[in-house]
Amino acid sequence: MGKLFVVNLEGKIYSCKHCRTHLALYEDIVSKSFYCRHGKAYLFNKVVNVSLGVKEERSMITGLHTVVDIFCVGCGSIVGWKYEIAHEKSQKYKEGKSVLERFKIAGPDGSSYWVNQEAHVGGSDADDV
């Protein structure tokens, strides 16, 4: 494996909560109204310092999507997923965008979101139907 190049962002940064590798900027948030099995998740236009998993079809609340899991390049932790293909016409805006699970990242102020035992259930775009 070659040398690892990590992009350092400036501004309000979301980073991996395990190793603090920069992942995304606050200004790249498209939506904060996503949910996953563990609570909140944010949809971003752009993320950096991630590697991609294997493409797979997932049936989600909003329909069938082709997605890949995304992993922090610093520590290898799964931090979310990227939409490759949205099969429903109304969901095409998600293509090429990434979701970071809030409990896997640290916010711009360094705070971490902890999993709530009563996390939102059933409304997740990440949860399989």
Side-chain angles (χ1 to χ4, degrees):
M1 183 170 163
K3 184 176 179 177
L4 180 65
F5 291 96
V6 177
V7 175
N8 288 310
L9 301 172
E10 292 186 23
K12 292 183 178 181
I13 300 163
Y14 286 89
S15 58
C16 175
K17 83 172 187 181
H18 300 291
C19 68
R20 300 294 187 210
T21 297
H22 294 179
L23 298 173
L25 290 170
Y26 177 83
E27 63 197 41
D28 287 325
I29 293 175
V30 174
S31 175
K32 289 186 176 183
S33 62
F34 278 66
Y35 290 89
C36 65
R37 290 183 187 102
H38 305 288
K40 293 181 178 184
Y42 297 165
L43 181 68
F44 287 87
N45 270 323
K46 178 182 173 186
V47 297
V48 296
N49 300 324
V50 295
S51 60
L52 304 178
V54 178
K55 283 186 186 181
E56 63 180 60
E57 300 291 321
R58 288 189 194 157
S59 182
M60 299 179 177
I61 296 295
T62 57
L64 185 64
H65 300 276
T66 303
V67 299
V68 294
D69 287 332
I70 53 177
F71 302 86
C72 172
V73 297
C75 66
S77 295
I78 185 169
V79 291
W81 67 93
K82 180 179 180 182
Y83 290 100
E84 295 287 326
I85 301 170
H87 298 281
E88 300 289 330
K89 193 174 198 177
S90 66
Q91 302 300 306
K92 291 289 187 185
Y93 75 95
K94 294 178 183 174
E95 290 182 349
K97 294 178 177 53
S98 300
V99 172
L100 295 178
E101 297 182 53
R102 190 63 183 97
F103 88 103
K104 302 270 186 145
I105 61 175
D109 60 358
S111 65
S112 292
Y113 174 85
W114 297 100
V115 177
N116 183 347
Q117 295 299 338
E118 299 173 10
H120 185 80
V121 178
S124 169
D125 199 29
D127 290 336
D128 295 334
V129 179

